[in-house]
Amino acid sequence: MREALSEMKKHGYLYGLFLKNSLIAQLEYRANFITGILMECGYLVVKILYVVVFYISGKTVNGLSPDASLLFIGTFVTITGFYAGLFMMNFFELRHQINSGSMDLLITKPVSLQFILTLRRADVGIMAVDILAGLVMVAVGWSRLKIPFDLVNALGFLGFLCGGAVVGYALFLLPQICSFWFIETSAISEVTDAFWDFNLVPMLVYDRLIQRIGTFVLPIFVVTNFPALFVLGRMNRIYIIWGIAAPFLMLGLTRLFWNYAVRHYTSASS
Amino acid sequence: MQKYLCTFQLGIQNAMEYRANFLLSMVSAVWPTFIQFFLWTSIYRGDTAAVINGYTYVQIIAYTLMANIVSRLIRTGFEYEINEDIKNGGLNKFIVKPVDYFCYKLSSFLGQKLIQTAFLLLLIGGVLLLLRLRFGMALDLLRIGVFFLSLLLAFCLNFMIFFSVGMMAFWLFEVGFLFEAIRIVIIMLSGGIFPLDIFGAGVSRALGFLPFKYTISFPVELINSRLEPFALGRGLLVQIFWIILLTGIARLLWRAGSKRYVAVGG
């Protein structure tokens, strides 16, 4: 037990260092840092356009008022900040690390290989833009809907937010693990990247069948919809249980697949 | 002329080389259409006769389908190549050889786009048929003819816009993600994501004074029967006007940029 705790402490400390190093490296290449933020702002405006569509139509869509849609899209923007800022770059680089053989060096380090390969780099600028804008959108939607800001709602929202980020990490890492077998997986990245945008609109907009598949089979909707569904009181018991179980299940699944892949790894170079 | 024909053929071969990539980029282009289709369908649910923000259900679906295809059709990507050429000394060979850079880029771009364009035009034909038969949209041959003419002009116009954007690389130390940021804003202002009306009447009218609207919004609204004959003819003239103006601007930028150019590399 004590060993596990000290391992966690070590990884936590390391993660702090990773973040710091990423920020320092980014500030060195300032043009990339600033234009990266500009680009993310552009994407953000596109997401806000979707909110505008809901407000202009002024209709209640499947029981969702425009304010409720704002809450959903705000949550989506926040979690996109986590994904684009903390995970995405590492996932896209995974292929390169494996193909070039630079992974070999990392295998020898006394830390978890998955940890160092999938969390080492971060884009703090992009993350800040999205999380800040997302939380403002959530706050505006929340107060306009007059949802009481109590402990249950706040903890539920935060809990499902973190759970969603974990499911996002696991779900989008899974296809990238195929890089251990295939050399060219840039096509996979392109398709999964577009797949992320399914949450641009609340899941309630889609057909019932698509909702089921997206929740239980390919849990893309679990990534960003559950926090808003919870505070709107639209989660039944099955959803709540699934919302709590899915992050653990998905992370476990990814972990199993990762270990399986690493066991079959044959070094690229030398 | 012969040399540009060769460049054109090289462009085709280039595009043929990455077939899997092409197919997958088509697949990922389907998602936004899919998402927007569900969004609008749920907004209009049970009330397809409703007019929301000036659009009937059929019109907004037609807009969504067409705008996504047209924005894919006119999409460029050579602004990054221009940046590469300027930063890494690729322009050197154009200084010493009797090849005009603008014509070279144009013929190479046309070659690279040829197969994709053929595919997308077929798709547009399919969508037109679907709109006519399934949604009962009124379409006559004259309108379709004018639509394809406006598409051709939109294609040229967008080329000129992004060629001018590429010229910025002469003055910028590092481009980074700037072109991507510019591309998103331009797509938005062209009406490639949603109809321009959602920005409100004032902004929408102001956008009429910029060239972007005439690349996506104009051709799509044309097929959508939302333009009167007068606006239609005027739109075509505005497209031609912008193409001529931007060609002049691009030439000026090129001349000013070449003076700043320092041949880096071998």
Side-chain angles (χ1 to χ4, degrees):
Chain A
M1 184 65 198
R2 189 185 295 161
E3 210 168 292
L5 211 66
S6 84
E7 272 296 301
M8 269 166 76
K9 225 164 109 184
K10 184 173 87 184
H11 282 81
Y13 171 70
L14 270 177
Y15 196 56
L17 285 183
F18 287 165
L19 287 181
K20 196 174 123 191
N21 284 343
S22 297
L23 184 65
I24 293 171
Q26 275 195 305
L27 288 177
E28 201 174 341
Y29 296 97
R30 226 159 301 167
N32 270 329
F33 184 66
I34 294 166
T35 53
I37 289 178
L38 277 179
M39 174 181 75
E40 204 56 25
C41 288
Y43 285 129
L44 184 64
V45 176
V46 173
K47 287 168 193 145
I48 291 172
L49 278 189
Y50 279 79
V51 181
V52 171
V53 165
F54 280 102
Y55 275 98
I56 283 182
S57 80
K59 293 212 170 177
T60 305
V61 177
N62 294 354
L64 289 182
S65 66
D67 291 328
S69 302
L70 177 63
L71 191 65
F72 273 94
I73 296 175
T75 318
F76 169 67
V77 171
T78 312
I79 295 183
T80 302
F82 283 109
Y83 176 65
L86 300 180
F87 311 142
M88 198 172 74
M89 225 188 328
N90 298 293
F91 290 3
F92 288 178
E93 252 180 31
L94 187 62
R95 162 171 49 106
H96 180 70
Q97 302 258 13
I98 293 170
N99 291 341
S100 67
S102 50
M103 194 184 98
D104 292 6
L105 195 69
L106 298 176
I107 292 182
T108 59
K109 307 252 184 220
V111 282
S112 155
L113 182 65
Q114 187 183 346
F115 169 75
I116 201 168
L117 266 179
T118 60
L119 294 171
R120 191 159 59 145
R121 291 189 55 193
D123 193 314
V124 187
I126 286 178
M127 188 169 86
V129 169
D130 278 338
I131 291 185
L132 203 70
L135 288 180
V136 169
M137 287 160 83
V138 167
V140 172
W142 191 306
S143 71
R144 284 178 63 113
L145 286 162
K146 302 200 170 57
I147 297 169
F149 189 76
D150 53 25
L151 199 65
V152 176
N153 275 341
L155 279 183
F157 188 87
L158 220 65
F160 284 119
L161 194 76
C162 296
V166 171
V167 173
Y169 168 84
L171 191 61
F172 284 84
L173 180 57
L174 273 175
Q176 301 293 345
I177 296 178
C178 297
S179 310
F180 279 99
W181 289 278
F182 306 114
I183 293 170
E184 189 55 54
T185 51
S186 68
I188 297 180
S189 307
E190 195 168 328
V191 174
T192 54
D193 208 31
F195 194 60
W196 179 264
D197 285 342
F198 262 77
N199 284 315
L200 250 175
V201 294
M203 64 186 264
L204 297 171
V205 160
Y206 298 101
D207 267 338
R208 190 140 292 197
L209 180 70
I210 299 179
Q211 283 186 37
R212 294 254 163 82
I213 294 174
T215 308
F216 298 108
V217 184
L218 258 176
I220 177 75
F221 293 141
V222 180
V223 180
T224 76
N225 278 278
F226 280 18
L229 278 178
F230 179 77
V231 294
L232 287 170
R234 294 188 62 158
M235 293 268 267
N236 58 30
R237 200 172 300 157
I238 298 172
Y239 272 36
I240 291 184
I241 294 171
W242 179 238
I244 295 168
F248 295 102
L249 273 175
M250 290 300 296
L251 204 59
L253 192 67
T254 313
R255 191 74 197 135
L256 280 178
F257 190 40
W258 177 273
N259 285 336
Y260 176 76
V262 171
R263 262 206 305 280
H264 289 76
Y265 170 71
T266 45
S267 174
S269 59
S270 69
Chain B
M1 201 57 216
Q2 182 68 34
K3 53 197 175 196
Y4 300 119
L5 210 64
C6 280
T7 320
F8 176 73
Q9 282 166 347
L10 275 175
I12 299 178
Q13 284 174 15
N14 226 321
M16 292 284 278
E17 204 175 338
Y18 300 99
R19 261 162 303 186
N21 206 40
F22 165 71
L23 281 176
L24 278 160
S25 75
M26 287 290 133
V27 171
S28 54
V30 172
W31 294 149
T33 318
F34 188 80
I35 295 164
Q36 287 168 7
F37 175 80
F38 274 101
L39 171 65
W40 290 116
T41 304
S42 71
I43 285 176
Y44 280 85
R45 177 146 299 160
D47 195 9
T48 47
V51 177
I52 296 173
N53 203 32
Y55 288 82
T56 64
Y57 177 67
V58 176
Q59 279 177 332
I60 200 75
I61 293 300
Y63 192 99
T64 302
L65 292 173
M66 277 298 175
N68 276 301
I69 301 175
V70 172
S71 68
R72 185 63 45 173
L73 181 84
I74 61 170
R75 182 169 175 171
T76 63
F78 56 77
E79 57 274 16
Y80 295 96
E81 294 167 20
I82 295 179
N83 178 51
E84 273 294 294
D85 282 346
I86 292 172
K87 293 285 141 61
N88 297 337
L91 282 186
N92 295 357
K93 51 180 180 283
F94 295 95
I95 297 176
V96 291
K97 286 179 192 161
V99 178
D100 182 72
Y101 188 69
F102 175 80
C103 297
Y104 166 79
K105 271 271 113 67
L106 181 65
S107 43
S108 152
F109 174 64
L110 289 178
Q112 280 180 29
K113 286 290 272 193
L114 186 73
I115 293 167
Q116 191 199 29
T117 305
F119 179 77
L120 288 173
L121 285 177
L122 275 178
L123 198 63
I124 287 180
V127 170
L128 285 177
L129 219 62
L130 179 86
L131 289 173
R132 179 77 192 85
L133 299 177
R134 174 78 177 71
F135 293 96
M137 219 167 99
L139 288 170
D140 52 76
L141 275 177
L142 182 69
R143 188 172 286 276
I144 293 175
V146 178
F147 170 66
F148 281 109
L149 176 66
S150 75
L151 270 187
L152 179 68
L153 291 171
F155 189 85
C156 299
L157 179 56
N158 203 55
F159 177 87
M160 290 319 306
I161 292 174
F162 279 90
F163 190 83
S164 308
V165 168
M167 289 294 106
M168 287 170 65
F170 276 119
W171 286 270
L172 293 169
F173 185 59
E174 224 182 309
V175 169
F177 301 103
L178 185 66
F179 285 163
E180 182 65 7
I182 292 177
R183 192 181 69 83
I184 302 159
V185 173
I186 288 184
I187 283 196
M188 216 158 27
L189 299 182
S190 310
I193 297 167
F194 289 118
L196 293 175
D197 304 65
I198 74 160
F199 292 110
V203 178
S204 172
R205 200 170 315 128
L207 285 175
F209 293 105
L210 293 173
F212 311 121
K213 172 185 162 174
Y214 298 93
T215 59
I216 301 176
S217 172
F218 172 67
V220 176
E221 296 287 27
L222 192 163
I223 205 71
N224 225 347
S225 308
R226 292 185 84 253
L227 296 176
E228 301 145 21
F230 174 69
L232 211 151
R234 197 189 53 184
L236 289 174
L237 285 178
V238 176
Q239 280 187 313
I240 295 170
F241 165 77
W242 273 115
I243 292 172
I244 295 171
L245 187 67
L246 280 166
T247 311
I249 291 176
R251 284 267 146 189
L252 283 179
L253 285 173
W254 169 257
R255 214 166 292 154
S258 314
K259 287 201 186 106
R260 285 180 53 94
Y261 178 66
V262 257
V264 193

